[in-house]
Amino acid sequence: MAKIVVHVMPKPEILDPQGKAVGAALPRLGFTGIAEVRQGKRFELTVDGEVTDEILDNARKAAETLLSNPVIEDVISVKVAREGGCGCGGHGHHHGGERKDLLA
Amino acid sequence: MSARIGVVTFPGTLDDRDAARAVRLAGADAVSLWHADEDLHGVDAIVLPGGFSYGDYLRAGAISRFAPIMDGIVDAAHGGMPVLGICNGFQVLTEVHLLPGSMIKNEHLHFVCRDQTLRVENAETSWTTEYREGEEIVIPLKNQDGQYVADDRTLDELEAEGRVAFRYVGWNPNGSRRDIAGITNARGNVVGLMPHPEHAVEPGFGPDSRESGRRGTDGLGFFTSAVKGLLAIA
């Protein structure tokens, strides 16, 4: 089972009330040094079998039509998660290729 | 002959009964339409009521816009049929691109429920002819995702074309751009707003008025406007 990961973020010029609230909560909990928080969405689309070009193309269209609203959001990326990539549900032992840059 | 106004129910719609009651009090027949209906059952106008269709999952109105009945509504709206979107219905109208812009979470992040003063900025739409331009009305407002946003070009266009139909007066309850409470399309047949005219149509069940408590019926004009317009054509 392969997975397509779609990232959606509020447009930079759109105020993000949820991100703002999270940003305000951080220093209260002692997490200092963070200037701003913006909150987006991550969708994991699980595919039966391989991710063909057609399926990936469909996922891109879905990202632009249903998963995001172009008036307020940008689709940041539509990527195939690598085989054996993070299907773990997030237990803190990330081994997916696409996450390495974020952890570095 | 009386006008037939359809009220659409999606899974999670809350205010369809009140909207139907408002339609009847305005002198029209209320026709219940189901989101899965493929046709509009011959109605003359449509109300998309408030609520939390599909639980507001993904974005408010985002999933409803793909309901089977929406194709017919979009076609009818392009043909000039009066369509009113209230609260969640307004969100559906923006998601389906009948109206520009979008709604995001209220600036202060709180759910708001209050009697809200609005100014009628455009008294020539299918849903506002019973008001005077500049008239102030009080109707209930209740939402969490009510902050109207659009880019500056769109906002300038709306202003220039007189398509800001309603503006908040006294207090902007959600951070909406330029105090916008509701807008219309260029033709004036499609109107969307966040506050709820259908909750202010019957003495005893509306907002407090100057005269006495719960007597406010400022919302009824939306529905009588549509009915008069429809009967004038018929």
Side-chain angles (χ1 to χ4, degrees):
Chain A
M1 302 265 265
K3 216 176 257 178
I4 300 171
V5 176
V6 179
H7 273 128
V8 174
M9 288 296 291
K11 278 185 187 297
E13 67 271 23
I14 297 275
L15 176 85
D16 170 21
Q18 293 179 101
K20 220 173 91 181
V22 173
L26 287 173
R28 287 204 295 272
L29 298 171
F31 299 108
T32 53
I34 293 160
E36 195 193 354
V37 177
R38 292 184 72 76
Q39 181 180 323
K41 293 173 185 166
R42 171 190 167 103
F43 299 89
E44 298 186 348
L45 315 178
T46 304
V47 175
D48 281 332
E50 253 180 89
V51 179
T52 61
D53 286 350
E54 193 192 349
I55 289 173
L56 190 57
D57 205 42
N58 273 337
R60 287 202 186 93
K61 278 181 199 142
E64 296 289 347
T65 50
L66 177 63
L67 303 184
S68 73
N69 177 346
V71 176
I72 50 172
E73 294 167 321
D74 290 325
V75 177
I76 301 300
S77 64
V78 180
K79 281 184 190 157
V80 181
R82 206 192 288 164
E83 200 67 31
C86 191
C88 63
H91 297 112
H93 57 279
H94 296 301
H95 40 72
E98 61 131 8
R99 283 220 165 171
K100 276 204 179 112
D101 55 332
L102 300 176
L103 295 171
Chain B
M1 187 207 112
S2 52
R4 287 160 46 83
I5 300 184
V7 177
V8 181
T9 301
F10 298 94
T13 296
L14 299 176
D15 298 321
D16 42 346
R17 299 289 183 99
D18 276 27
R21 198 170 61 103
V23 164
R24 285 192 295 271
L25 286 167
D29 291 336
V31 179
S32 291
L33 298 175
W34 181 235
H35 72 112
D37 288 349
E38 299 276 351
D39 74 83
L40 304 183
H41 298 278
V43 297
D44 307 306
I46 294 271
V47 178
L48 299 177
F52 294 87
S53 60
Y54 292 94
D56 270 357
Y57 295 162
L58 192 57
R59 296 176 306 277
I63 298 178
S64 307
R65 96 155 258 193
F66 293 101
I69 200 167
M70 288 308 297
D71 286 341
I73 291 176
V74 169
D75 284 348
H78 287 312
M81 182 185 282
V83 177
L84 175 66
I86 303 165
C87 196
N88 194 219
F90 183 17
Q91 292 157 340
V92 174
L93 289 178
T94 61
E95 283 284 343
V96 80
H97 309 307
L98 282 174
L99 293 173
S102 184
M103 255 67 63
I104 63 171
K105 215 156 277 304
N106 293 343
E107 194 171 19
H108 45 66
L109 294 171
H110 297 289
F111 186 95
V112 182
C113 181
R114 70 194 300 263
D115 294 342
Q116 175 70 44
T117 304
L118 308 179
R119 188 169 54 246
V120 180
E121 302 278 21
N122 181 339
E124 289 171 8
T125 77
S126 299
W127 300 92
T128 56
T129 50
E130 289 293 288
Y131 300 100
R132 280 170 288 107
E133 192 186 316
E135 184 175 346
E136 291 191 3
I137 61 173
V138 179
I139 60 177
L141 169 92
K142 44 169 190 154
N143 64 64
Q144 175 161 309
D145 289 12
Q147 181 180 173
Y148 180 74
V149 295
D151 58 39
D152 282 331
R153 222 188 80 205
T154 305
L155 293 168
D156 289 342
E157 239 173 66
L158 288 172
E159 304 261 16
E161 294 170 10
R163 291 171 55 196
V164 175
F166 309 95
R167 243 184 269 267
Y168 298 114
V169 175
W171 184 55
N172 180 337
N174 41 37
S176 289
R177 297 293 172 281
R178 306 190 192 184
D179 299 334
I180 291 172
I183 56 173
T184 178
N185 66 346
R187 194 166 173 169
N189 62 307
V190 180
V191 170
L193 79 167
M194 286 313 292
H196 289 260
E198 82 283 16
H199 294 328
V201 293
E202 194 173 4
F205 302 94
D208 295 341
S209 69
R210 274 185 213 91
E211 293 73 38
S212 62
R214 321 312 300 171
R215 301 283 303 171
T217 57
D218 287 353
L220 190 60
F222 281 75
F223 304 94
T224 50
S225 296
V227 170
K228 279 201 181 169
L230 291 170
L231 295 180
I233 306 167

